Amino acid sequence: RGGALAAYSHLYGAGDVVWPASVALARLLAHVPSLVSNQRVLELGCGLGAAGLAAAKAGASSVLLTDRDASVLEWATQAAAANGVSGVVRLAVLDWTADAAALRDALGADAFDVIIAADVLYDEAAAESLAQLLV
């Protein structure tokens, strides 16, 4: 298999794609920065981190990008550096089905002012896991 697509054969099309809802959320945060300005922001299921990076650029005091896939967090790290927000952005592997201790380790002890997520409720199991995480 050759051609232009061969260079992207390592991508599998889930967290390594910027989905339309992430683009919409990032645009909203860019146009209405007061939603996140000076706030501690948590992005769940960040993938490449488009929405969380937009929150950082919009003036969030801190942004924690989380995803269960460590490889996409590597790309999000590169994106944060490319956008000049590495000082505001932290990253953590987070599996919504993990036990309470693992969740605390990933999220830390401090509360977040704003929690964002886009295109994460793609099946019933994901919705149930997210609901348990937020309780």
Side-chain angles (χ1 to χ4, degrees), residues 10 31 35 55 64 73 80 100 113 129:
H10 62 288
H31 290 287
L35 294 172
L64 177 59
L73 291 176
D113 302 306
S129 296

Side-chain angles (χ1 to χ4, degrees), residues 18-107:
V18 179
W19 295 99
S22 293
V23 173
L25 180 55
R27 284 182 177 160
L28 174 67
L29 298 175
H31 290 287
V32 189
S34 61
L35 294 172
V36 293
S37 183
N38 298 312
Q39 303 293 309
R40 290 179 30 86
V41 177
L42 167 64
E43 184 177 6
L44 298 170
C46 71
L48 299 175
L53 296 176
K57 293 294 279 187
S61 61
S62 68
V63 177
L64 177 59
L65 302 176
T66 64
D67 202 285
R68 69 178 177 184
D69 185 345
S71 65
V72 297
L73 291 176
E74 289 295 323
W75 294 325
T77 300
Q78 294 172 21
N83 283 282
V85 293
S86 294
V88 175
V89 173
R90 294 182 302 118
L91 298 101
V93 174
L94 179 65
D95 181 346
W96 301 347
T97 63
D99 62 33
L103 293 173
R104 275 192 306 277
D105 286 346
L107 297 175

